[in-house]
Amino acid sequence: MGYGIKLRVWGDYACFTRPEMKAERVSYDVMTPSAARGILEAIHWKPALVWRVDRIHVLKPIKFDSIRRNEVASKISERNIKTAMNGGTIDLHQYASEDRQQRAALVLRDVDYVIEAHFDLTDKAGASDNSGKHCDIFTRRAKSGQCHMQPYLGCREFSANFDLLEGEVPQSVLTEKRDLGWMLWDIDFAHDMQPIFFRPMMINGVIDTRLVKEEET
């Protein structure tokens, strides 16, 4: 196991979309492990390392809001993209003003999480890569608010504030045991992008994703 870190992330809105809801967006109750990994990668990532999310702490009550959002109704077809890649002459523009539609969304409001995670070095790590070096880079970048791209809470319009947490994790206001149902854990990119689901249990505001990995192995 590599070095562990704790990162606090918060924001006004979040939407960790359930894939089974196709017409309208409906968020899971809490942040998914894959969304947490995406936030960490936005701050520091190299092919030499892979992030492992250990726990997600939900610090505030779970609150939903129903809103309406502008979205484009279609996407550029794969066929047109391949034609352009092969040198064909084709218009790849997508005009949002002509393809816009409003959709309802059930999103989370006023969220505050702590992500506990560690990273492992991969087989792409070079001679100059070591755990201490990458931990120092992440710590420095998280402290100063640096990131490769703006981290977000499920959807890009819901940007995430973040700060490195060096002390104890604040106590959650949630004091219950809740079955969160089936949830997307991550995407297996090594096997044709297969989705992996798990059934997390939140106890006193803490979701321990390490237990899921132990059960799978």
Side-chain angles (χ1 to χ4, degrees), residues 146-210:
Q146 290 181 285
C147 51
H148 297 297
M149 61 179 182
Q150 179 62 47
Y152 55 89
L153 296 162
C155 294
R156 289 188 183 276
E157 60 265 49
F158 301 147
S159 60
N161 304 301
F162 65 90
D163 193 16
L164 187 72
L165 182 62
E166 298 184 275
E168 295 296 319
V169 177
Q171 183 67 42
S172 171
V173 299
L174 302 172
T175 56
E176 60 178 330
K177 183 176 181 179
R178 183 186 297 194
D179 183 350
L180 297 172
W182 289 104
M183 175 184 287
L184 179 69
W185 182 37
D186 214 330
I187 302 293
D188 186 355
F189 292 96
H191 296 89
D192 198 24
M193 297 187 68
Q194 287 294 317
I196 304 171
F197 291 89
F198 74 123
R199 188 156 191 167
M201 188 71 70
M202 183 172 66
I203 303 174
N204 296 329
V206 181
I207 304 160
D208 193 335
T209 61
R210 298 172 304 169

Side-chain angles (χ1 to χ4, degrees), residues 46-50 52 120-127 129:
K46 296 285 184 183
L49 62 91
V50 57
R52 314 285 189 192
D120 293 323
L121 296 180
T122 69
D123 56 5
K124 295 182 180 177
D129 291 304

Side-chain angles (χ1 to χ4, degrees), residues 19-213:
E20 66 269 29
M21 306 293 185
K22 294 183 178 179
E24 312 291 353
R25 290 183 185 270
V26 177
S27 177
Y28 285 117
D29 292 3
V30 300
M31 170 187 284
T32 62
S34 57
R37 177 177 53 77
I39 290 174
L40 300 173
E41 290 177 348
I43 298 171
H44 177 58
W45 178 81
K46 296 285 184 183
L49 62 91
V50 57
W51 284 104
R52 314 285 189 192
V53 176
D54 298 320
R55 295 189 190 88
I56 296 173
H57 299 257
V58 184
L59 302 183
K60 289 187 175 180
I62 298 171
K63 294 178 287 189
F64 285 93
D65 254 355
S66 180
I67 63 174
R68 297 190 72 82
R69 305 161 65 238
N70 290 328
E71 297 185 7
V72 291
S74 61
K75 57 186 179 182
I76 301 172
S77 73
E78 183 180 349
R79 180 180 178 183
N80 288 353
I81 292 173
K82 286 183 177 178
T83 301
M85 291 174 67
N86 292 326
T89 303
I90 194 166
D91 184 7
L92 283 182
H93 287 87
Q94 187 171 26
Y95 301 99
S97 59
E98 299 174 2
D99 199 23
R100 182 181 296 149
Q101 65 179 19
Q102 278 204 333
R103 289 185 177 178
L106 189 62
V107 303
L108 295 165
R109 175 167 55 86
D110 190 22
V111 298
D112 194 352
Y113 304 108
V114 171
I115 302 168
E116 281 192 77
H118 69 278
F119 60 83
D120 293 323
L121 296 180
T122 69
D123 56 5
K124 295 182 180 177
S128 62
D129 291 304
N130 61 73
S131 298
K133 168 188 168 182
H134 287 291
C135 186
D136 289 343
I137 293 173
F138 181 87
T139 300
R140 184 177 67 251
R141 293 177 65 84
K143 278 184 176 178
S144 60
Q146 290 181 285
C147 51
H148 297 297
M149 61 179 182
Q150 179 62 47
Y152 55 89
L153 296 162
C155 294
R156 289 188 183 276
E157 60 265 49
F158 301 147
S159 60
N161 304 301
F162 65 90
D163 193 16
L164 187 72
L165 182 62
E166 298 184 275
E168 295 296 319
V169 177
Q171 183 67 42
S172 171
V173 299
L174 302 172
T175 56
E176 60 178 330
K177 183 176 181 179
R178 183 186 297 194
D179 183 350
L180 297 172
W182 289 104
M183 175 184 287
L184 179 69
W185 182 37
D186 214 330
I187 302 293
D188 186 355
F189 292 96
H191 296 89
D192 198 24
M193 297 187 68
Q194 287 294 317
I196 304 171
F197 291 89
F198 74 123
R199 188 156 191 167
M201 188 71 70
M202 183 172 66
I203 303 174
N204 296 329
V206 181
I207 304 160
D208 193 335
T209 61
R210 298 172 304 169
L211 300 177
V212 178
K213 283 178 273 188

